[in-house]
Structures are given as C-alpha cells and as structure tokens.
Amino acid sequence: MTSAQEKRTSEPLESSDSKKIQLEPVEPVQKRVDHFAKGMAAIKPEFIVESSSKVEIQYDDDEAEGGERGEPEKGSGGGRRKKRGQNKNRDLKQKKEEIRLCTSLLDPENPKVCSYGPEQCRSTHNVEEYLASKPEDNEGICPVFKALGYCPAGLKCRWLQSHYDKETRKLIKDLERTEKSKEELNYEVNIVSHEARGKLRKKQYEFEVASKVIEFIDTTVQSEENIANAQQKRKDNEAAFVEAPFKIAEKKRLDFRNAKIVSPLTTVGNLPYRRLMKTLGADVTYSEMALSVPLLQATNSEWALPKAHRSEYPGFGVQIATSKHWAAAKVAEILYKETSHVSELNLNCGCPIDLLYRQGQGSALLDQPARLLRIVKSMNASSGDIPVTVKIRTGTRDNKNTAKTLVERLLAENDVAAITLHGRSRQQRYTREADWNYIAEVGQTVKEWNDKKEDDKESSDTQRTCFVGNGDVYSHVDWYNAVNKEGIDSVMVARGALIKPWIFEEVEAQQYLDKSATERLDILHKFTDFALEHWGTDEYGVGLARRFMCEFLSFTHRYIPIGILERLPPKINERPPQWRGRNEMETLLGSTDYKDWIKITEMFLGKAGPDFVFTPKHKSNAYEGN
C-alpha cells in the first residue's frame, strides 16, 4: 500500500466544492509473490515451501572452467571479485586407515615381496589383525568384482564378504568375467609409464622434435634490437629445423558437426563422470585442465588427468593450460609418444581464474595473440598426428569483444583443427547470459574462411576448421537453436551436463525428459560404480568416490523437475525459491544441504565413517536442513 492510500484510509478528503466526504477503509492488499520474476525459476505454487529461515543460495560456477584449483584465498586490489559466502579453506583430504595392510598382501594367495621388509614396513603384515580392525563390510556385491571378475583392492575391499572365502582364506576370482571385461574394452588408457615419468623427473627425457621446434620458434620472437644479430642464427636454425612428420592434412580428422560435446570441467569432469556421460550419449569428452609445467615435472596428480576410459576413444581430448611455447611443445610431444588414445590436444585460452591469469595462462592469452599463436604452432609441430584445438572467450573485458579478430589470425595461421568460443568475457564470469549473437557472428567468419579454402585449389589438401559454441545450453531447445545457426558446427555443454547429465538424451529425443527420482538415482548409481572401478573399493577409494559424488551432487541438486515448472524452457541461471518434489526422494535430490548429499552417497557406498570429511564450496550449502 502506498503512503497516499494509507492517508486516504485515515483522513477525510476535501472535495473541490469544499464538502468533506468520508471514504470507506481500504482493505490491505496481499503482496503476491511474482514467480515469473527475472532470475527466478517458475515453480508451480503448490510445490513452493514457505520457509522461516531464509537461506541465500549462491552458485559460483568458475569450477566449470578452471575451478578452485590454485585460487588464492584472499583478495587484493586490481578489481578482483569478492568471494562472498565461499568456504575458502576446504579440507578435501581423506583420512587413511589407522591400521594399514601392506599392499604386498592384498591377495594372500599370491603375496608379493615387500620392498621395505616386514620389520621396517610401516604397514602391518598381520592379515588377521588387519581384518579384525576393519569396519563391517558393506552389504551387496562388490561393484568392481561384478564388473571385472576380480577386485584389485583385495583384502582391503569394503565389500570383501562378496569375494572372499573365509574358510580357505582365498579371494574369489571369476576369470571368465575378467576375459569378457577385456572384450568389452572395460579398461583405462593413457597411463604414462613409470620409466617415462622418471626420465621427466630427472630431466633426462629426450624431446627429439620439440627441442628443434623450440629453437626455431625462439628465433621468431627476437626483439627489433636483436633482429640484425639474429638473422644468421635464424638461418642456421631453419636449416636444422626438421618439419613435423605429420602435416596438417595428415593429422587425425575432426568432424564436430552435430557432435554431442562435454566441456573440459575441473574437479567434476573426472574420468568416472566422463565415462558416465558416454553412456548417456556424449560423443566427445575432455580431460580436466592439465598444467604444462607440472606435467613436465612428472607430478603424479597432474599425469592422472590425461587418463581416460577406453569407451571415451575416439573422441577424447586432453586440455592443456600453458603460457610458454617451449612447455607446450614438450607436453605435445610426450603426449603423442607416451599415450595411445588421444584424439586432440586442446589449448585452454578461456580459464578466468585469477592465479592462472596472472601467470599468463588461460584467458590471459586472449590479450597476447602473438604468444598464443606461437604456443599453437609449437604444439602443432610437436604433436605428431594429433590435431590441436583451442577454447577461447569473447575477450577479457565486458563490451570489448576481441574473439573475432583473434579467430581471423588463428585461421590465417592454419594451425587449429577446431575453435570453441564461450560467449562470455573473462570479466563477466557467469554473471550474464552467454552472447550467442556474437558467437554466431564469429561462426560466420569461420564459415567464410572454410568456403574460401574449398574454392582455393592450393588449400584443397587442408582440413576445414570446425567451430563450436559454448554457454548456457540447458535443454534440447538451446542446443538446436545454436546448431541451426549458420557457421556453428556444434555446441560444447558444461554446466548443463553437470546439472542434467541426460541432456544429450533430450537432444536425441528432441523433447524434454521428466526423469523420475528413481531414474536419477540409477544415474548416480552408475556413476558410483564407475568411481569405485577408478579409485578402488578400499576405505581410501570409497572416500574419494564419496567426495567426488558430493561434488557431482553440488550440481545435480540444482535440477528442477520439468513436472513442477509452470513454464518452459528452463533457464540455467534461474534461481528457485525453496521447493518440494513430487515425492520424498525427489525432494531429497533437490536439497541444498550437503548433509543430504552425504545421505545419498550412503545409499551406494555404505555408511560414511566418522573420519569422512566433505566441506561444500559454498556456505549456503552448509546450513541445517529443515
């Protein structure tokens, strides 16, 4: 009620003929909640819960493109964003068992030799003592034993009762199932040997191609003052330079037209998640972003990132972040020589994270096109038959798009097989919707270039450059609106595939799929099985599987079932009021409380032990549920 209305209800008003008229009191107007307000999800009123405790739901989606890795804890000047409501010091380390069994005794029937010896080994060699200390086994059949016919975790398995004979004290093995698993290509690939990593660590790895490429590229970046002095050296390098054994036209061909592509995703885009997405219709997947220098230092955690499941290939790309052409060249060569299931090398030129930006990596390359081009050329010359692709943003600043000019330079160099454009600037992060009009404009530039190459007889042996759009694709409507634009070959889906993993099923069906709570649990169950196959079924592996399942649920809980929405299409950036589902399980799956996420993991991984630690990324996810 306005102040004028309030005055009318309490005071008599004087008419133009000076007669006083007493008005009837006005009933107070009920304030109606606008469920169609901008930025609010349109949930049917009967599913909205009136809550006395107001909880501000915050989503910081930077982890979809670089995430929290290496992010500084405190802000400093320079226009950096404030991190409101974020748990900055997350404890993500899983505690290990107090009594640990030596890995040489995982299979008591076939013991291995302990490198330390029973007396000096920090782990116990007393099998009976270890088994007595273990918590009670989880019920059911071990998911890894069921899939592979044996369990690599052996006596440490949390489902040991399903594949251990207590009387004979032997592990049960299904050799027929093991052979069938190999035939089904159920194994992991791109595992770099200990020997190769040892040489990297000792700086003894021989880069036969990269060393010559680096030397050649170095002479092209001489300052003007040194040009005269460098001319002779450059001639010498050119004479010694050995052209890469594979020309652009001879590299593996990429065709992304109408391909269903999952974006490189940090933390959540792990191997089990990508394997899950392959079962749900994805054609192309990417590793989590790997940093070039830690790779060259043979860091184990970094070399875990290029690993893939056999089902991902062909169509698996390794994403690299770097700021140095020498590092890019070396990483490209070692990936070509030491891995066997890589379809492309993708250069990250879009990660907005401050730490990487200050190091000249990620989106910092958008402002240094010359450096970017040198890196691409170095990768291309050193990667054998593996093609090189790039992922960029519209620019680094709002209202200052530079991608079109950058794409024109990339096309002129003819070194990239595909370009992906995320329709936001670095400064925008995820604060506004992606600019698909600009993406289409850049796509038209790529199309004109491809058309020109087809007409040019001299360029007839080169591949066409694919162009992929990225940003805010959350339904089959968004997907087809994008790919139907001229010049756009396909769409790379990031958060849409995290929140709604069956998005490619919708694309294939060309309709919304109202997945029931049971169907969504089946998807989570499959993810759990894949996670246990990857990380193991011992206490530590189960803890990792539980932690990454919670990370996955930190996105999936944001899904609002189609059946409770008042209007379509749903928008990825819309925030819901507190709501309840059509049954208790649907309500649980939509909970914003991380304790409920842990409850969901317990359906598949057993009771979480007192030592399990998971801290949600946002404080708003840590409130006590009603």
Side-chain angles (χ1 to χ4, degrees):
M1 187 183 299
T2 64
S3 58
Q5 285 177 318
E6 293 174 353
K7 190 173 182 180
R8 286 176 61 194
T9 61
S10 57
E11 296 181 7
L13 298 183
E14 193 171 44
S15 66
S16 56
D17 57 1
S18 299
K19 291 183 179 180
K20 294 181 179 180
I21 302 174
Q22 183 69 39
L23 299 178
E24 292 294 326
V26 177
E27 292 293 329
V29 179
Q30 291 281 337
K31 185 177 181 181
R32 185 179 182 278
V33 178
D34 182 7
H35 298 300
F36 294 92
K38 185 177 181 182
M40 182 177 286
I43 296 176
K44 294 176 181 177
E46 60 266 32
F47 293 101
I48 295 178
V49 177
E50 298 296 336
S51 176
S52 56
S53 61
K54 294 184 178 180
V55 180
E56 182 185 358
I57 299 176
Q58 299 181 23
Y59 302 135
D60 184 348
D61 287 333
D62 285 339
E63 67 187 68
E65 280 193 85
E68 56 203 19
R69 82 182 286 165
E71 184 71 12
E73 295 178 6
K74 296 182 180 180
S76 56
R80 292 185 59 196
R81 289 191 316 151
K82 293 182 179 179
K83 299 182 149 194
R84 297 183 179 89
Q86 189 175 116
N87 289 313
K88 301 171 185 175
N89 298 316
R90 297 209 295 164
D91 182 5
L92 300 176
K93 294 181 180 178
Q94 303 306 321
K95 296 183 179 179
K96 298 181 179 180
E97 299 169 295
E98 290 185 8
I99 299 178
R100 290 180 292 173
L101 179 68
C102 179
T103 56
S104 66
L105 298 171
L106 293 180
D107 184 351
E109 189 178 4
N110 299 296
K112 297 178 181 178
V113 177
C114 176
S115 57
Y116 298 100
E119 296 181 357
Q120 296 183 352
C121 183
R122 294 183 179 181
S123 300
T124 183
H125 281 240
N126 187 329
V127 174
E128 297 302 323
E129 177 191 25
Y130 173 75
L131 292 177
S133 70
K134 280 184 66 180
E136 185 179 353
D137 283 344
N138 292 334
E139 296 181 0
I141 300 175
C142 169
V144 177
F145 176 77
K146 185 177 181 181
L148 304 180
Y150 73 99
C151 179
L155 295 178
K156 289 188 175 184
C157 178
R158 294 291 289 108
W159 287 266
L160 180 61
Q161 47 79 26
S162 68
H163 55 81
Y164 180 64
D165 189 328
K166 290 185 178 180
E167 293 183 2
T168 62
R169 298 183 180 181
K170 293 181 180 180
L171 294 173
I172 300 170
K173 298 175 184 178
D174 184 349
L175 299 181
E176 185 178 340
R177 174 67 257 180
T178 302
E179 290 302 315
K180 189 176 180 181
S181 172
K182 294 178 181 177
E183 292 174 4
E184 294 171 348
L185 304 179
N186 185 14
Y187 55 89
E188 294 182 5
V189 294
N190 297 338
I191 301 172
V192 177
S193 67
H194 290 291
E195 181 184 2
R197 280 185 284 171
K199 289 181 179 179
L200 279 175
R201 197 173 290 113
K202 297 174 183 177
K203 297 183 178 180
Q204 295 175 350
Y205 194 91
E206 187 176 352
F207 294 97
E208 299 170 353
V209 176
S211 58
K212 295 174 182 177
V213 171
I214 293 166
E215 193 171 5
F216 175 73
I217 296 294
D218 282 344
T219 62
T220 68
V221 294
Q222 299 289 336
S223 64
E224 291 183 4
E225 297 177 2
N226 297 327
I227 286 179
N229 297 331
Q231 284 179 349
Q232 185 58 47
K233 184 178 179 181
R234 180 169 182 177
K235 288 180 180 179
D236 295 340
N237 287 334
E238 284 178 342
F241 176 67
V242 178
E243 189 175 358
F246 294 91
K247 297 180 181 179
I248 301 295
E250 297 172 339
K251 287 178 177 281
K252 296 175 184 176
R253 290 191 175 271
L254 298 179
D255 189 355
F256 288 154
R257 282 172 286 198
N258 293 322
K260 301 177 185 70
I261 307 172
V262 182
S263 177
L265 304 163
T266 295
T267 303
V268 196
N270 46 59
L271 185 150
Y273 168 78
R274 301 193 310 266
R275 186 180 171 189
L276 172 70
M277 291 306 301
K278 289 294 287 190
T279 69
L280 295 174
D283 298 316
V284 179
T285 57
Y286 290 89
S287 73
E288 300 175 62
M289 177 181 65
L291 305 181
S292 60
V293 173
L295 285 174
L296 295 175
Q297 293 171 339
T299 306
N300 289 334
S301 58
E302 213 69 24
W303 272 110
L305 302 181
K307 288 182 183 178
H309 190 265
R310 181 61 183 82
S311 61
E312 294 184 76
Y313 184 84
F316 175 67
V318 176
Q319 188 182 63
I320 303 297
T322 187
S323 62
K324 308 294 184 183
H325 66 271
W326 60 265
K330 290 182 177 181
V331 168
E333 181 175 352
I334 195 170
L335 283 169
Y336 168 64
K337 289 164 64 174
E338 303 295 337
T339 64
S340 55
H341 294 75
V342 177
S343 299
E344 62 172 292
L345 297 181
N346 181 263
L347 176 63
N348 184 317
C349 306
C351 180
I353 300 305
D354 294 326
L355 181 61
L356 265 66
Y357 183 82
R358 289 198 297 272
Q359 292 175 346
Q361 304 183 71
S363 56
L365 292 174
L366 299 176
D367 289 334
Q368 303 178 65
R371 172 176 288 191
L372 191 161
L373 292 172
R374 288 196 297 272
I375 291 173
V376 170
K377 188 171 290 294
S378 299
M379 291 176 67
N380 210 29
S382 307
S383 63
D385 65 343
I386 303 176
V388 175
T389 63
V390 297
K391 187 170 188 289
I392 64 176
R393 284 181 175 246
T394 57
T396 57
R397 298 183 181 181
D398 289 352
N399 304 316
K400 193 174 181 181
N401 294 333
T402 59
K404 186 176 179 181
T405 303
L406 179 60
V407 166
E408 289 173 346
R409 293 188 64 174
L410 284 167
L411 293 171
E413 293 292 330
N414 203 30
D415 285 327
V416 292
I419 299 170
T420 298
L421 175 59
H422 182 174
R424 292 185 179 87
S425 68
R426 174 185 183 269
Q427 187 178 354
Q428 284 175 333
R429 302 285 177 109
Y430 289 91
T431 56
R432 295 187 214 131
E433 292 185 355
D435 187 351
W436 276 94
N437 289 329
Y438 185 68
I439 293 175
E441 183 181 337
V442 178
Q444 188 62 34
T445 299
V446 178
K447 180 182 181 300
E448 291 172 359
W449 175 262
N450 285 327
D451 291 343
K452 183 180 178 181
K453 278 207 299 185
E454 286 184 9
D455 296 336
D456 187 354
K457 294 181 180 179
E458 293 182 2
S459 302
S460 59
D461 63 335
T462 60
Q463 298 184 33
R464 71 183 296 275
T465 301
C466 297
F467 182 73
V468 179
N470 174 221
D472 295 344
V473 173
Y474 190 47
S475 68
H476 67 285
V477 174
D478 298 329
W479 198 88
Y480 282 104
N481 283 343
V483 297
N484 287 336
K485 288 182 170 64
E486 195 173 38
I488 298 178
D489 291 309
S490 187
V491 174
M492 185 178 279
V493 186
R495 292 176 299 163
L498 291 172
I499 300 170
K500 189 167 63 175
W502 60 91
I503 185 170
F504 296 127
E505 291 184 353
E506 286 193 354
V507 170
E508 192 66 26
Q510 298 188 41
Q511 63 180 16
Y512 293 104
L513 299 179
D514 190 9
K515 293 280 186 179
S516 66
T518 302
E519 290 175 308
R520 292 167 63 192
L521 280 177
D522 287 342
I523 291 174
L524 292 172
H525 193 178
K526 187 177 291 186
F527 170 81
T528 307
D529 288 349
F530 293 162
L532 292 171
E533 285 185 47
H534 180 58
W535 286 302
T537 54
D538 61 354
E539 191 71 29
Y540 186 70
V542 171
L544 281 177
R546 196 185 306 276
R547 179 245 160 148
F548 282 104
M549 189 175 180
C550 285
E551 299 281 10
F552 189 18
L553 288 165
S554 74
F555 280 93
T556 62
H557 86 274
R558 290 162 55 175
Y559 172 70
I560 303 170
I562 295 296
I564 72 172
L565 288 173
E566 283 190 309
R567 61 171 169 76
L568 299 173
K571 295 292 184 182
I572 197 169
N573 292 323
E574 289 178 335
R575 301 293 181 259
Q578 192 170 344
W579 58 276
R580 61 178 176 82
R582 292 164 291 188
N583 53 54
E584 290 185 8
M585 185 54 64
E586 194 167 74
T587 302
L588 180 64
L589 288 170
S591 173
T592 59
D593 188 347
Y594 82 100
K595 294 180 181 178
D596 287 331
W597 306 346
I598 296 177
K599 288 179 185 176
I600 294 171
T601 70
E602 291 177 337
M603 297 179 189
F604 313 110
L605 296 170
K607 185 73 175 176
D611 291 337
F612 174 73
V613 176
F614 178 75
T615 307
K617 187 174 183 183
H618 299 287
K619 293 176 182 176
S620 59
N621 295 123
Y623 79 100
E624 297 292 337
N626 294 328

